[in-house]
Amino acid sequence: MKSILVLFWDINLFKRGPEDVPAHSVLLISVVTIFVVFNSVASWFLLDTNLLHSLMSSVMVLMVFVASLWLGLQLKGGLNRFPQSVAALLGQDLVISCLSMPVLVMLVAKEAEGSVPQAGSILLLLFYVWDLAVKGFIYRKALDVGPGLALMLAVAMVMSAIVLENQFFGLDADSFSVAF
């Protein structure tokens, strides 16, 4: 387990890529399950929604991530890299989500008090930029595309997840999205 966490940490540091993730179905199922549970509980806690709503929202975000990656790999003829790429994408997301959670909790608490510290907002923005850069890195490695296109794909994927989440679940613009 420790070696998998180190692997996902190294992916977030751009030291290793999705090709380094073991192609084991147990790992993929475990990462998918942890991703859905973590994001469901986090949005339930942070956004004060009901648990079913949070679960459905997390599953939809997962479907956007998985479908976009599958489509890209299908178009590039690299579906054999799908399990590793999905595990890398979700694993890196979990690491950054865990690291950013204290900042999110603090911002939500301060927002309830009527103030949002600028330093916390900037730190959260830095986590989001880091997350997008790592997702772009994974797309670049998995799809064998240039860094610019990979980053655009990562931004499009995250924006699609946010738009669909807002469309189907009606989150207001002031809510924090823990989808990424």
Side-chain angles (χ1 to χ4, degrees):
M1 181 62 148
K2 182 181 175 185
S3 62
I4 295 298
L5 292 174
V6 170
L7 171 64
F8 291 147
W9 176 248
D10 285 349
I11 289 172
N12 278 304
L13 296 178
F14 308 100
K15 292 181 178 179
R16 296 168 80 183
E19 69 277 3
D20 297 313
V21 177
H24 297 293
S25 59
V26 172
L27 174 63
L28 181 59
I29 291 167
S30 299
V31 172
V32 166
T33 302
I34 294 168
F35 177 87
V36 170
V37 169
F38 179 87
N39 282 302
S40 296
V41 170
S43 70
W44 176 51
F45 175 74
L46 292 171
L47 301 177
D48 197 28
T49 62
N50 69 53
L51 190 55
L52 180 61
H53 176 276
S54 296
L55 178 63
M56 290 172 38
S57 177
S58 294
V59 168
M60 188 181 60
V61 168
L62 171 69
M63 289 174 25
V64 170
F65 284 11
V66 169
S68 63
L69 192 54
W70 181 87
L71 181 61
L73 287 169
Q74 175 71 19
L75 292 172
K76 292 292 283 188
L79 276 179
N80 59 324
R81 293 178 276 189
F82 181 71
Q84 294 169 288
S85 301
V86 170
L89 194 65
L90 299 180
Q92 76 74 215
D93 189 273
L94 283 166
V95 169
I96 291 181
S97 293
C98 287
L99 291 173
S100 66
M101 191 55 58
V103 177
L104 280 167
V105 169
M106 184 264 308
L107 287 174
V108 168
K110 291 294 186 181
E111 182 181 48
E113 296 172 3
S115 68
V116 177
Q118 189 175 18
S121 297
I122 291 170
L123 185 56
L124 186 61
L125 177 63
L126 291 174
F127 276 116
Y128 286 156
V129 169
W130 181 23
D131 182 62
L132 285 173
V134 176
K135 282 179 173 48
F137 172 74
I138 291 169
Y139 270 111
R140 183 174 68 80
K141 297 281 220 157
L143 301 174
D144 194 27
V145 295
L149 178 58
L151 185 57
M152 287 191 315
L153 290 169
V155 169
M157 176 198 55
V158 169
M159 293 303 298
S160 297
I162 291 169
V163 167
L164 287 172
E165 186 177 28
N166 289 336
Q167 184 70 29
F168 286 103
F169 300 106
L171 298 177
D172 61 26
D174 295 329
S175 295
F176 292 104
S177 177
V178 294
F180 52 118

